[in-house]
Amino acid sequence: MAAEKQLTPRLILSILSIALLGFTDIMLETALNVSFPTIMTELSVNSATVQWLTSGVILLTSLVIILSPWLKKNFTNRSQFMVAGIISVIGIAIDAVSDSFWLILFGRLLQGIGGGVGLPLMNNVVFEQVPERKRGTMIGLASLIVSFAPALGPAFGGFLTEHYGWHMVFWVVLPVQIISLGLGWFTIKQLDPLVKEKLDLIGWILLSTFFVSGILAIEHISSHGFTDPVSLVTLTIMLLGLVGYCLYARKQTHPLLDLAIFKSNIFAYAVAAAFTIQTINLTFNYAIPMGLQLVLHQSSQVAGFALFPGAIGFAFMSILSGNLYDRYGAKLPNALGLSLFGAGMLWMVLMPFTVLNMTLGFGLVQLGAGCWFGNNMTNAVSHVARKFHSAGNSIFAASNNYSAAIGIALAAGIISAFQSQSTNIAQATETAISWTYRLDLLLMVFAFAFSIIAIRNSYRTKTD
């Protein structure tokens, strides 16, 4: 197998084709974020409802992602990619012509299914077919493509919404999705043999219960508090789903996600760090456009362009830091990433709420995130046994999506709660964002501690 791992032009194109699938998924997510105030007005929905166009999709994506290890064993890379791409195209087409919120949500959920297959597939192909000495660079290159989505999404989403209406966002993305399908059909190949294995349906139901009830619990707690009966019920169901799966998986020969991977301290702490930082990151992605439009009364186009420099920085730092990882290991790019991320957060907390300050602060945060995310995952998965690589990629992808949904729901819930208690929407929104940032600072302390522990342990452990 080692002799077959060569970085060929066809392999690079296959990875890029899968990255384009992720590009379209995130492009729509970030483009719609800046369009939420307009969609809320046109479709007569509030901020807690409209956020399901993003968090609902992320949640469904997570439910599909946890099937990734089973899909890898039973279906070829190309067949997974084509089915995912076609489902996503259908969802985009539905949203391009729909004016009903619930029909639009259905189309977005179809896109979530496609994204749920594509996100871990990209990393599976890298770890399956790319030589280990080039993993960091290829993960960075794939992340570069995917990361252009949040770079272009807010700016183009704001521009298209302002001049042509938010439906045009879907029409712009549709041809990109079709191009990725054609490219993937001709380039994606298979190295690992298929192993037919029965789907662990009970395990999937238990994990799904955990994911669904968890995001419902977070959303309700953020707007109604811990003592609300619905909050307590959903939180209890979430814990039962998690504990139930842990007990169930111990007795299975081939569980859907083998929890033995968490015996690696490096992997466990890296996942915890990624989960926390992604939660923080998505609160910014939701809160900043809302604040710029509702507090500073800027257009959706201005809100989009305020996120543009940071997203561009994320994209280019992904490939640069991947090269640093291959040359020097994980310590340098991860330390640089955490430093930039922390500096950006402090900037946004301490500086007045202005367009310039939000642009600069978010830019620093995204430079740090782009430098850190891919290397954190590559380092963690590289330090577990090869048989756990697919599960590791799936867990990281599910964790990132689930934490993103929590971040969006958290920000949306806090903003909605403050807005409902005041007639001055602008003042209430500014106060809510201020409290969101304070919560993010607390979470940042835990995230940095998790990441530092993972890196220190990785230098004491030989890569498998």
Side-chain angles (χ1 to χ4, degrees):
M1 183 65 68
E4 296 182 45
K5 289 188 176 183
Q6 298 179 4
L7 193 58
T8 64
R10 175 178 174 176
L11 176 55
I12 294 174
L13 289 175
S14 69
I15 294 171
L16 294 184
S17 68
I18 305 173
L20 281 175
L21 181 62
F23 172 90
T24 59
D25 181 61
I26 299 175
M27 174 83 162
L28 289 172
E29 174 189 324
T30 55
L32 286 178
N33 277 350
V34 298
S35 305
F36 278 174
T38 302
I39 295 174
M40 288 164 58
T41 301
E42 291 187 10
L43 303 182
S44 301
V45 294
N46 60 26
S47 60
T49 300
V50 76
Q51 61 94 14
W52 281 99
L53 290 178
T54 297
S55 61
V57 174
I58 292 174
L59 181 57
L60 185 60
T61 299
S62 297
L63 300 185
V64 177
I65 283 173
I66 60 181
L67 293 172
S68 175
W70 178 78
L71 292 173
K72 178 173 173 53
K73 294 176 182 177
N74 289 268
F75 302 96
T76 65
N77 295 329
R78 186 167 69 171
S79 62
Q80 291 182 58
F81 174 78
M82 294 305 296
V83 170
I86 291 171
I87 291 175
S88 187
V89 164
I90 293 172
I92 293 172
I94 290 174
D95 287 344
V97 298
S98 300
D99 288 313
S100 164
F101 176 81
W102 299 110
L103 193 56
I104 293 167
L105 179 59
F106 174 70
R108 290 286 291 135
L109 293 178
L110 290 180
Q111 295 153 40
I113 294 174
V117 175
L119 289 172
L121 178 61
M122 178 180 70
N123 292 329
N124 283 339
V125 170
V126 171
F127 278 86
E128 174 190 323
Q129 301 179 22
V130 175
E132 184 175 346
R133 67 183 184 279
K134 293 293 185 181
R135 278 180 190 167
T137 299
M138 287 311 300
I139 289 289
L141 179 60
S143 298
L144 173 66
I145 302 300
V146 174
S147 300
F148 268 115
L152 298 175
F156 274 91
F159 175 80
L160 294 173
T161 299
E162 184 99 357
H163 298 283
Y164 303 101
W166 54 269
H167 282 96
M168 186 58 67
V169 173
F170 296 99
W171 288 113
V172 169
V173 167
L174 187 58
V176 178
Q177 184 80 308
I178 294 173
I179 290 171
S180 74
L181 279 174
L183 184 60
W185 172 263
F186 289 106
T187 60
I188 296 176
K189 63 180 181 179
Q190 184 77 21
L191 286 187
D192 289 351
L194 298 181
V195 180
K196 295 299 179 180
E197 188 176 287
K198 185 179 179 181
L199 174 62
D200 181 9
L201 185 59
I202 294 177
W204 183 78
I205 291 173
L206 289 171
L207 284 174
S208 298
T209 300
F210 164 68
F211 279 114
V212 172
S213 57
I215 187 60
L216 292 176
I218 292 296
E219 190 276 333
H220 207 78
I221 289 171
S222 64
S223 56
H224 294 84
F226 278 99
T227 57
D228 183 82
V230 176
S231 299
L232 294 175
V233 169
T234 52
L235 189 60
T236 301
I237 294 173
M238 179 194 76
L239 294 175
L240 288 175
L242 178 60
V243 173
Y245 180 78
C246 291
L247 296 175
Y248 168 81
R250 289 179 180 178
K251 301 178 181 179
Q252 303 302 307
T253 305
H254 301 290
L256 186 62
L257 288 179
D258 193 341
L259 298 180
I261 191 174
F262 285 101
K263 292 180 180 179
S264 166
N265 287 333
I266 299 170
F267 183 85
Y269 280 110
V271 170
F275 185 94
T276 310
I277 287 184
Q278 181 75 330
T279 299
I280 297 170
N281 205 31
L282 266 292
T283 62
F284 294 146
N285 275 275
Y286 183 89
I288 290 175
M290 279 286 186
L292 292 178
Q293 293 176 82
L294 299 181
V295 178
L296 301 181
H297 306 294
Q298 300 293 324
S299 67
S300 59
Q301 184 175 345
V302 171
F305 277 109
L307 302 182
F308 185 77
I312 285 288
F314 186 106
F316 281 105
M317 285 301 285
S318 296
I319 186 67
L320 175 61
S321 63
N323 184 262
L324 290 176
Y325 176 92
D326 287 335
R327 296 180 63 184
Y328 304 109
K331 195 172 187 178
L332 175 60
N334 281 23
L336 177 60
L338 292 177
S339 300
L340 291 170
F341 194 94
M345 283 193 62
L346 290 175
W347 179 277
M348 286 194 285
V349 169
L350 298 176
M351 300 300 289
F353 196 98
T354 66
V355 176
L356 178 60
N357 284 336
M358 291 304 99
T359 302
L360 292 175
F362 186 72
L364 285 173
V365 165
Q366 292 306 290
L367 283 173
C371 192
W372 183 85
F373 268 112
N375 294 303
N376 177 65
M377 184 206 71
T378 303
N379 183 60
V381 177
S382 294
H383 278 85
V384 299
R386 192 177 188 280
K387 65 179 181 179
F388 290 129
H389 282 179
S390 179
N393 290 327
S394 179
I395 290 169
F396 262 101
S399 174
N400 284 342
N401 277 271
Y402 189 49
S403 56
I406 289 177
I408 292 171
L410 193 62
I414 293 173
I415 292 173
S416 180
F418 274 88
Q419 289 175 343
S420 66
Q421 297 175 8
S422 175
T423 56
N424 189 332
I425 298 299
Q427 183 178 357
T429 303
E430 184 173 7
T431 303
I433 292 174
S434 176
W435 277 103
T436 301
Y437 287 170
R438 294 172 188 175
L439 177 60
D440 286 339
L441 275 177
L442 177 62
L443 293 175
M444 182 184 71
V445 174
F446 290 99
F448 281 25
F450 294 148
S451 182
I452 291 170
I453 293 172
I455 291 298
R456 289 182 65 183
N457 284 340
S458 70
Y459 276 82
R460 299 171 183 169
T461 306
K462 183 179 179 181
T463 301
D464 194 334

